[in-house]
Amino acid sequence: MNSAQNEIRYLPPHSSSGIARWALSGLVALFLVAVPVHGASGEAGGSDLSLFIVSFLFLMGVSQAGVVFCAITRMVRAQWSKPYHRLAELSTMAFFPFAILGFLLIYYQASDDLFYWLSASADDHLSPWLNLDWLLIRNVSALLLFYGVSYVYVMKALRPDLEGADGVDHREVEQQLYVMSPVVVLCFVLVSTFFAWDYAMMIIPHWHSTVFPIFFWFGNLFAGTAALIVFPALLGRSAPTGSNFGPAQIRGLSMMVTAFTLIWLYMFWAQFFVIWFGNLPHEFEPLWRQMYGHYAPFYWTMMAGCFFIPFVALIFAVINRSLVAMCVVSFGVNLGIWICKYLMVVPALSPDAGVFNNALDVGLTLGLLAGFVIVVVVLAKRAPMYSRWELALAPLPKRR
């Protein structure tokens, strides 16, 4: 057994665990208070929680992309990505309680205003899919399936670095993770597709797009991958034995973000072109509302952040080698994907909604973001920050 494999061990619980408990307790308390307060407001519910809904969909998608990034890079046997694995996996698991509580808040407090089909007449002949109880069952089941599979996957990757795991066969663990990786990706696609259908496509009357779910979940993966550049910037230097992030990690991630930029544009164009060419009012009207009028600045900011800026910037080698420049690009991509989620939800509810119109909505959104960040930091302190056994494991010889 290589001594480097035993370099980092599990850190025992310390006072930071109290921070996590307070963060989760605060979220539960905020949820319990928000339900009666929002229910008694007597105002339109959908627009009241629009900022929270958009931020929930964004944060859930970006955090879930962490474990999916690990699965993809393990399937292709990438060596440069290994320093990112542990923090990416922990960020996914950190959002689990927020995913369940946030979904329940939206389901119980915003469904009446989000879903036009709840007040449809019997003559509309709605699909059996448009059923509120079935919506709850399928989304909660999909969330539990994804996070259950992810938990097994993450714990399997974490075990060799825990205390008392000296007898673990690292090559066998690597093979087990390789086999499980496609399952993780499929679970991610499933849960993201359900949320794309229910909380974006199905809130617009009679609007359908076969490409839209792919555009939705790939946007999550795009933003989540870009967000990983923040790890070496914020947490890499705080590792007990120094940072394992170097030029190879920055360059490797920049190439992946460049590829994802082009794929995102392809998915966007595949949906846009069909709607534009078909020229059917019930299909192009939602898109036109995003592109023109009140929401036009949001739309073009999204295009700049998701395509124009990263495409032009990542052409230059100096940008690909610079951590600061890559952080700027990452911020633009994530802002663009957040606006993309905003344009999926808000224009369908109001032709001229503002972003910060409701104090409760803003408070819930900030609480969600703060709680998630706190739990990520706490988990990063309690568990080994790097997957040391993977870093010490030599790559498999190439087949001829």
Side-chain angles (χ1 to χ4, degrees):
M1 186 74 64
N2 195 318
S3 61
Q5 295 172 329
N6 300 323
E7 187 174 346
I8 294 294
R9 290 302 180 196
Y10 177 72
L11 301 179
H14 47 74
S15 58
S16 64
S17 62
I19 301 176
R21 286 195 295 269
W22 279 108
L24 294 177
S25 300
L27 182 68
V28 174
L30 190 60
F31 172 78
L32 295 176
V33 170
V35 169
V37 170
H38 185 267
S41 64
E43 300 176 3
S47 58
D48 282 352
L49 289 181
S50 59
L51 181 63
F52 178 80
I53 295 169
V54 170
S55 300
F56 170 79
L57 293 174
F58 170 77
L59 288 174
M60 182 174 67
V62 170
S63 63
Q64 289 177 348
V67 73
V68 177
F69 169 85
C70 299
I72 292 173
T73 53
R74 283 177 176 139
M75 282 192 289
V76 300
R77 309 288 189 181
Q79 300 299 309
W80 64 267
S81 63
K82 290 181 177 180
Y84 292 103
H85 286 175
R86 182 59 44 74
L87 292 171
E89 292 167 340
L90 294 179
S91 67
T92 296
M93 298 313 302
F95 200 78
F96 170 57
F98 302 96
I100 299 299
L101 290 174
F103 169 73
L104 292 177
L105 173 60
I106 295 170
Y107 176 82
Y108 285 109
Q109 293 300 307
S111 292
D112 289 339
D113 297 279
L114 274 176
F115 305 125
Y116 70 93
W117 42 266
L118 288 178
S119 56
S121 65
D123 297 333
D124 289 336
H125 303 291
L126 296 176
S127 167
W129 181 269
L130 302 179
N131 178 280
L132 199 58
D133 293 334
W134 172 225
L135 182 144
L136 175 64
I137 293 171
R138 65 176 174 260
N139 283 287
V140 170
S141 299
L143 286 173
L144 293 177
L145 174 65
F146 171 79
Y147 284 107
V149 171
S150 297
Y151 176 79
V152 174
Y153 187 82
V154 171
M155 290 306 298
K156 190 175 292 292
L158 180 62
R159 186 187 170 202
D161 283 327
L162 299 181
E163 188 175 359
D166 295 336
V168 177
D169 186 338
H170 294 178
R171 190 64 72 184
E172 181 181 353
V173 174
E174 181 187 45
Q175 183 61 27
Q176 291 172 349
L177 292 172
Y178 177 81
V179 172
M180 280 194 67
S181 292
V183 180
V184 172
V185 175
L186 289 175
C187 290
F188 167 74
V189 171
L190 177 67
V191 68
S192 297
T193 298
F194 281 172
F195 274 89
W197 283 340
D198 292 332
Y199 286 92
M201 191 164 68
M202 294 301 181
I203 65 177
I204 303 174
H206 311 296
W207 190 76
H208 306 281
S209 172
T210 55
V211 182
F212 180 78
I214 305 175
F215 176 65
F216 183 94
W217 63 254
F218 187 81
N220 295 339
L221 182 59
F222 181 27
T225 301
L228 292 178
I229 199 65
V230 175
F231 289 154
L234 298 182
L235 300 177
R237 295 180 181 179
S238 64
T241 57
S243 174
N244 282 275
F245 295 104
Q249 281 67 45
I250 307 300
R251 186 169 57 253
L253 194 63
S254 70
M255 288 189 292
M256 197 169 183
V257 171
T258 302
F260 281 6
T261 300
L262 298 176
I263 297 175
W264 181 88
L265 180 68
Y266 173 79
M267 295 301 175
F268 168 83
W269 179 251
Q271 178 180 246
F272 174 87
F273 180 77
V274 173
I275 294 174
W276 173 80
F277 188 79
N279 200 33
L280 299 176
H282 70 278
E283 290 187 351
F284 69 68
E285 195 279 332
L287 182 61
W288 267 220
R289 183 179 291 188
Q290 296 175 12
M291 294 179 63
Y292 302 105
H294 177 76
Y295 296 104
F298 293 91
Y299 181 87
W300 294 109
T301 302
M302 174 195 74
M303 293 302 300
C306 292
F307 176 69
F308 296 126
I309 293 176
F311 178 74
V312 173
L314 296 177
I315 291 175
F316 301 98
V318 65
I319 301 295
N320 289 271
R321 294 194 299 262
S322 171
L323 180 59
V324 174
M326 284 299 299
C327 284
V328 173
V329 172
S330 171
F331 175 79
V333 169
N334 278 266
L335 177 62
I337 295 299
W338 184 92
I339 294 175
C340 185
K341 297 290 188 291
Y342 183 85
L343 292 175
M344 290 176 184
V345 176
V346 177
L349 305 177
S350 172
D352 55 356
V355 180
F356 306 110
N357 287 344
N358 187 286
L360 177 61
D361 192 15
V362 174
L364 283 170
T365 302
L366 292 177
L368 177 69
L369 176 61
F372 172 57
V373 171
I374 289 173
V375 175
V376 170
V377 173
V378 169
L379 289 179
K381 290 182 178 180
R382 289 174 56 87
M385 191 172 293
Y386 296 104
S387 183
R388 290 291 176 185
W389 69 270
E390 284 190 281
L391 291 170
L393 198 62
L396 291 170
K398 295 182 179 181
R399 297 180 180 179
R400 295 185 178 180

